[in-house]
Amino acid sequence: QVEVVESGGGLVQPGGSLRLSCAASGTSSGINAMGWYRQAPGKQREVVALISRDGSPNYEESVKGRFTISRDNARDTVHLQMNSLKSEDTAVYYCYANYIYEADIVHNLDAWGQGTLVTVSS
C-alpha cells in the first residue's frame, strides 16, 4: 500500500510564496492522480489542485494563476508552488494520491497525507 507524506507548510505574509512537497512510498502497481486538498477552519475539505499521471493539471478557481502543481512520476512526488498567497489560503493542506494495488484482486485506493499547515498572515 502507498503512504504519502507532505511538507513545506509554514507561516507566510500575504503576497508571499510557499512550496509544498509530497512523496509517495510503498507498494503499488501505479499511481494515478496526485494532488492537494485543503481544509480551512469551519469549512469542508476542498480540492486545490490535481494532476494526472500524464501531467494534466486541474485547479480550484480561486488558485488559478497563483498556484502551480507539478509531479515527478519517476520519484512519485508532487509539488504545489503557491505564489501571491492570501489570508483565505490559510488551511491545512493534504497530499492525495490515487493508486492501484494488486494482490489477489486489483484495488483502486486513495492515500492521504497527515496534513501540513499553511498560515497566511501579516
Side-chain angles (χ1 to χ4, degrees), residues 25-94:
S25 62
T27 301
S28 78
S29 296
I31 296 176
N32 302 314
M34 298 186 74
W36 298 89
Y37 287 70
R38 68 185 179 187
Q39 187 167 23
K43 295 186 177 181
Q44 298 293 309
R45 185 177 298 189
E46 65 175 358
V47 64
V48 178
L50 294 172
I51 185 167
S52 66
R53 187 167 183 84
D54 67 6
S56 180
N58 286 282
Y59 298 96
E60 193 272 328
E61 288 295 327
S62 70
V63 309
K64 285 183 177 179
R66 300 189 297 121
F67 292 8
T68 302
I69 188 170
S70 61
R71 69 184 289 173
D72 183 342
N73 290 343
R75 295 172 174 80
D76 288 333
T77 59
V78 63
H79 305 276
L80 186 68
Q81 178 66 47
M82 304 185 293
N83 298 326
S84 301
L85 284 162
K86 305 174 181 179
S87 61
E88 50 263 46
D89 294 317
T90 296
V92 176
Y93 284 70
Y94 298 90

